[in-house]
Amino acid sequence: NAFLQLNSNRAISLFVCFRWEEERYTDGVKWKFLEHKGPVFAPPYIPLPDKVKFYYDGKHMKLSPQAEEVATFFGKMLDHEYTTKDIFRKNFFKDWRKEMKPEEKSTIVDLNKCDFEEMNQHFKDQSEARKQMSKEEKLKLKEENEKLLQEYGFCIMDNHKERIANFRIEPPGLFRGRGNHPKMGMLKRRIRPEDIIINCSKDSKVPVPPHGHKWKTIRHDNKVTWLVSWTENIQGSIKYIMLNPSSRIKGEKDWQKYETARRLKKCVDKIRAQYREDWKSKEMKVRQRAVALYFIDKLALRAGNEKEEGETADTVGCCSLRVEHIKLHTELDGQEYMVEFDFLGKDSIRYYNKVPVEKRVFKNLQLFMENKQPEDDLFDRLNTSILNKHLQELMDGLTAKVFRTYNASITLQQQLKELTNPDENVAAKILSYNRANRAVAILCNHQRAPPKTFEKSMQNLQTKIDAKKDQIGMARRELKGAKADHKVKKDEKTRKSVESKKKALQRVEEQLMKLEVQATDREENKQIALGTSKLNYLDPRISIAWCKKWDIQTEKIYNKTQREKFAWAIDMADEDYEF
DNA sequence: TACATCACTTAGGACTTCCACC
DNA sequence: GGTGGAAGTCCTAAGTGATGTA
């Protein structure tokens, strides 16, 4: 098909021997045969023991099972900051009251008068007890889990047994959105078999619903990849059970994603020249499109689809930037034409950046902002659909997110070339790899909360480094002594002693270097998450080629799960691979 | 063209397991 | 054997973008 033809003949001949390349369907067909056992439901609610009491206004109150279950969701979270937030409390209380019996409803009218403390303690005790379980009990639990995985964790898709990503239905609880979410605290209701749509092939054994229940629908749609779906009650969106990243269907898609990004590499110069040209366009719409694309390309911003107001946290991407999200400085930090970005992106992660831009971009931004309020759209003539339609015309399969993939992967390749020092040892090379990875994570703004134990663990490491330095001093003195001894005696025994002291010194010096590398790596990584780019943006063939080139084990950069996900790349890439 | 729906990828944090070190 | 902390896994929210519908 068209996609295969885009690839080199060599790639094709290599491919046919891999299982993810066995069959390719046309017309959006994703599989011919699909059989699975359906989802695993959340365990039923176990009512609290009588000794665990709930108090309203200081008085003990026995709750009905339905009301009690929802109360425990709140009680479990008492230590979390969420439960102090007004919106969270308001949403929770409203939904909780819906679950109450009429008499409960008339009594419980103020959340502030509710005392969930005993519930909270009960769950703490439970989790403590779980930790204190005997070896045998833990093993038994592990075996039961394994059994469940074996039974429900796999499916058959086109002659292959494939691992399912999420075969467990999400348990009920209180919705925890990210950032300032208007729906935080709402009750996420329990999913029953009657909510579930099953997708499988007609000629397969259809999964059996739990006793006394039936499925909502059974479908046989081979144009989609999901096995199970249901509609979630918070946003009304659909949730799916799909396959693991190691599966053929996901691996192939992943590979395809990077091939699209590589095609962009071939025409990116032309596209850049084009949007620079468009900065001068007579049409406002074209100018806005060109400036937005420039940001997406230069800063790896996300596309920025419109969002329904009041349904989600207020976050933006490129096309949905508002005037209030940027500041223009004719001069800043000694540089001309600076744009200062400050906005909340996906997952309410802050994007803060000061970037010098070309004069023409700067002038355009001034124009776009003229006579606008802070809360007005910066690109009022643009949205993602307009932008993507334009991109589609520039290259088949090109969308805004391809730029992120392309820029991430090309940055990794460049950085690896630049940072890898052939003379350094494996540990130092891996530090270089992590630094290259980090450059990408910074570009894509992949942040994480600094680990709670960061300062402490850094201190501990420093203590170790100091101790190691003392050891080196000691080893040096011993070597010196041995050398002096040998100078006098000149016999075999003292010669051997010098040798062994030399080796000992070398060993501790190496250990020190390792520790120092570790410290540097950790410090630089404090607020940056490497995993997201590694998993989603970096063509794994670049990393595999690098490993082969420098004779570094793949295991040093990819753990088992990652190796499974990138199996296609591990087999495909040799040391000469170029993104 | 606006809007809704659907399917799929991308994301950070919570939770669990593992392993080096005492 | 116990434990701290890192690594790995799980969870599910929050994006992107295609397509259908009025």
Side-chain angles (χ1 to χ4, degrees):
Chain A
N1 66 24
F3 178 60
L4 258 185
Q5 282 159 21
L6 290 164
N7 296 288
S8 69
N9 288 330
R10 201 170 136 275
I12 294 167
S13 62
L14 262 172
F15 269 140
V16 284
C17 51
F18 300 134
R19 71 169 184 77
W20 41 84
E21 275 308 303
E22 285 169 3
E23 281 178 271
R24 297 191 145 272
Y25 304 122
T26 46
D27 310 327
V29 170
K30 304 288 169 57
W31 47 262
K32 296 255 167 81
F33 182 80
L34 174 61
E35 183 170 288
H36 58 92
K37 300 275 295 233
V40 172
F41 288 91
Y45 176 63
I46 302 167
L48 293 171
D50 284 338
K51 65 175 200 306
V52 181
K53 298 191 170 78
F54 167 75
Y55 302 91
Y56 185 75
D57 208 7
K59 286 189 273 296
H60 169 225
M61 206 176 149
K62 176 79 187 159
L63 296 171
S64 65
Q66 290 91 322
E68 187 190 87
E69 180 178 9
V70 179
T72 63
F73 297 153
F74 194 86
K76 266 179 203 168
M77 299 173 76
L78 239 42
D79 296 326
H80 204 290
E81 211 215 323
Y82 272 112
T83 54
T84 64
K85 293 190 174 173
D86 265 3
I87 306 176
F88 189 96
R89 295 174 70 86
K90 202 182 115 255
N91 286 335
F92 160 72
F93 196 56
K94 190 175 162 205
D95 280 1
W96 183 30
R97 282 176 54 82
K98 289 181 203 155
E99 301 300 311
M100 291 178 190
K101 295 262 179 280
E103 44 308 355
E104 291 170 328
K105 219 169 177 173
S106 60
T107 312
I108 303 172
V109 291
D110 182 359
L111 181 56
N112 293 314
K113 291 184 177 166
C114 296
D115 178 356
F116 302 94
E117 210 42 68
E118 287 190 14
M119 290 182 199
N120 184 254
Q121 193 53 49
H122 170 70
F123 292 115
K124 275 188 196 153
D125 293 346
Q126 256 187 3
S127 88
E128 194 50 40
R130 221 172 306 128
K131 277 186 209 147
Q132 298 303 325
M133 273 189 315
S134 68
K135 269 234 170 79
E136 296 73 47
E137 287 172 305
K138 279 186 182 165
L139 189 71
K140 202 180 144 213
L141 219 62
K142 205 175 165 183
E143 279 168 356
E144 278 167 17
N145 252 317
E146 182 60 27
K147 214 181 120 196
L148 207 68
L149 172 69
Q150 288 308 324
E151 187 169 357
Y152 292 94
F154 295 86
C155 74
I156 306 286
M157 186 179 272
D158 292 347
N159 306 318
H160 292 287
K161 188 174 168 183
E162 303 268 31
R163 179 86 188 263
I164 297 168
N166 54 324
F167 56 90
R168 283 171 214 272
I169 297 281
E170 296 171 16
L174 304 184
F175 176 77
R176 307 148 83 130
R178 313 223 171 112
N180 199 196
H181 198 116
K183 299 201 168 184
M184 63 167 88
M186 282 175 61
L187 174 64
K188 205 171 102 162
R189 50 162 255 276
R190 181 178 289 274
I191 303 301
R192 305 150 302 148
E194 286 70 16
D195 301 314
I196 294 290
I197 303 172
I198 295 285
N199 194 33
C200 60
S201 56
K202 274 184 188 150
D203 54 348
S204 74
K205 274 184 243 156
V206 176
V208 185
H211 188 70
H213 290 274
K214 43 183 193 242
W215 305 123
K216 181 178 180 183
T217 338
I218 296 164
R219 278 209 231 159
H220 309 289
D221 183 356
N222 70 355
K223 301 261 173 91
V224 297
T225 68
W226 53 268
L227 321 184
V228 171
S229 76
W230 71 93
T231 301
E232 153 270 349
N233 69 299
I234 304 288
Q235 330 257 8
S237 66
I238 308 167
K239 300 259 185 167
Y240 303 93
I241 291 182
M242 291 186 195
L243 296 192
N244 196 72
S246 61
S247 60
R248 183 216 102 218
I249 209 151
K250 294 286 183 191
E252 223 171 70
K253 197 82 189 294
D254 207 32
W255 171 53
Q256 194 174 94
K257 174 180 79 188
Y258 292 112
E259 289 307 312
T260 306
R262 291 175 85 194
R263 282 193 287 120
L264 173 57
K265 186 189 175 189
K266 290 186 194 144
C267 60
V268 74
D269 289 338
K270 210 175 126 201
I271 291 172
R272 284 173 179 161
Q274 157 95 262
Y275 68 61
R276 298 172 67 89
E277 208 45 47
D278 287 346
W279 292 341
K280 299 181 253 176
S281 169
K282 292 187 292 294
E283 253 185 289
M284 186 58 140
K285 188 179 152 181
V286 175
R287 283 198 191 202
Q288 291 195 356
R289 198 180 65 194
V291 171
L293 186 51
Y294 169 72
F295 286 161
I296 284 169
D297 184 22
K298 184 184 170 80
L299 305 172
L301 300 190
R302 293 186 186 84
N305 283 317
E306 289 115 302
K307 304 170 68 178
E308 220 176 322
E309 220 182 303
E311 290 291 299
T312 59
D314 177 19
T315 63
V316 296
C318 186
C319 294
S320 50
L321 278 170
R322 299 191 297 260
V323 170
E324 60 195 321
H325 295 131
I326 65 166
K327 274 197 195 119
L328 301 182
H329 306 273
T330 325
E331 208 205 299
L332 182 71
D333 307 332
Q335 286 178 285
E336 276 190 313
Y337 305 120
M338 295 286 280
V339 183
E340 186 181 0
F341 290 84
D342 193 351
F343 62 88
L344 296 181
K346 180 174 178 183
D347 293 325
S348 294
I349 297 290
R350 186 179 180 204
Y351 183 92
Y352 183 80
N353 202 359
K354 289 185 272 193
V355 275
V357 300
E358 321 225 359
K359 185 176 175 183
R360 203 155 255 143
V361 171
F362 195 85
K363 295 286 169 195
N364 269 318
L365 288 169
Q366 282 178 327
L367 180 67
F368 303 159
M369 289 163 84
E370 245 169 45
N371 302 319
K372 280 190 193 166
Q373 299 299 307
E375 63 278 10
D376 289 340
D377 285 338
L378 177 64
F379 303 115
D380 52 301
R381 309 283 173 87
L382 186 69
N383 60 40
T384 53
S385 140
I386 296 171
L387 178 65
N388 281 333
K389 249 179 218 129
H390 171 66
L391 293 175
Q392 186 58 236
E393 282 164 17
L394 299 179
M395 187 193 101
D396 180 40
L398 187 61
T399 61
K401 89 185 188 99
V402 179
F403 280 87
R404 241 166 111 80
T405 312
Y406 161 71
N407 279 310
S409 286
I410 202 76
T411 302
L412 178 76
Q413 189 169 79
Q414 280 163 355
Q415 289 289 303
L416 283 177
K417 266 190 196 141
E418 217 171 294
L419 298 175
T420 313
N421 179 350
D423 305 325
E424 284 181 329
N425 63 20
V426 174
K429 286 204 182 90
I430 288 171
L431 175 65
S432 300
Y433 179 88
N434 286 340
R435 282 190 166 145
N437 191 165
R438 195 141 51 228
V440 176
I442 291 168
L443 174 72
C444 296
N445 200 39
H446 291 143
Q447 297 189 31
R448 62 165 183 177
K452 286 185 192 82
T453 54
F454 186 83
E455 291 307 327
K456 207 177 134 220
S457 78
M458 219 49 204
Q459 261 172 21
N460 289 348
L461 197 55
Q462 194 54 48
T463 313
K464 273 192 196 169
I465 288 174
D466 293 343
K468 205 47 83 179
K469 281 181 179 162
D470 290 347
Q471 261 187 44
I472 288 179
M474 195 130 55
R476 284 221 174 98
R477 282 193 294 279
E478 280 187 20
L479 176 62
K480 215 173 166 188
K483 273 183 178 166
D485 213 21
H486 180 58
K487 217 172 185 178
V488 178
K489 293 186 182 155
K490 294 197 162 56
D491 60 358
E492 185 61 14
K493 193 178 161 198
T494 54
R495 194 189 62 76
K496 277 202 170 151
S497 166
V498 169
E499 280 307 304
S500 79
K501 303 280 185 212
K502 249 189 202 167
K503 275 200 184 130
L505 175 62
Q506 254 175 24
R507 201 167 342 131
V508 282
E509 276 178 340
E510 255 169 49
Q511 284 168 344
L512 174 68
M513 215 207 69
K514 258 193 184 165
L515 286 174
E516 281 178 332
V517 163
Q518 203 186 348
T520 316
D521 210 25
R522 200 184 294 172
E523 184 65 48
E524 290 176 359
N525 245 2
K526 185 177 178 182
Q527 298 197 66
I528 299 162
L530 299 187
T532 306
S533 49
K534 204 176 195 176
L535 239 43
N536 301 301
Y537 288 102
L538 302 175
D539 183 342
R541 292 169 295 183
I542 299 169
S543 299
I544 296 300
W546 180 84
C547 282
K548 289 194 174 154
K549 180 162 182 194
W550 302 108
D551 203 20
I552 289 165
Q553 293 169 311
T554 310
E555 288 78 2
K556 298 272 186 202
I557 58 160
Y558 288 140
N559 67 31
K560 188 166 156 275
T561 317
Q562 292 164 340
R563 292 197 299 279
E564 281 166 8
K565 166 165 174 158
F566 297 135
W568 59 272
I570 291 171
D571 283 348
M572 203 185 289
D574 57 28
E575 69 163 88
D576 308 317
Y577 176 78
E578 273 264 353
F579 174 76

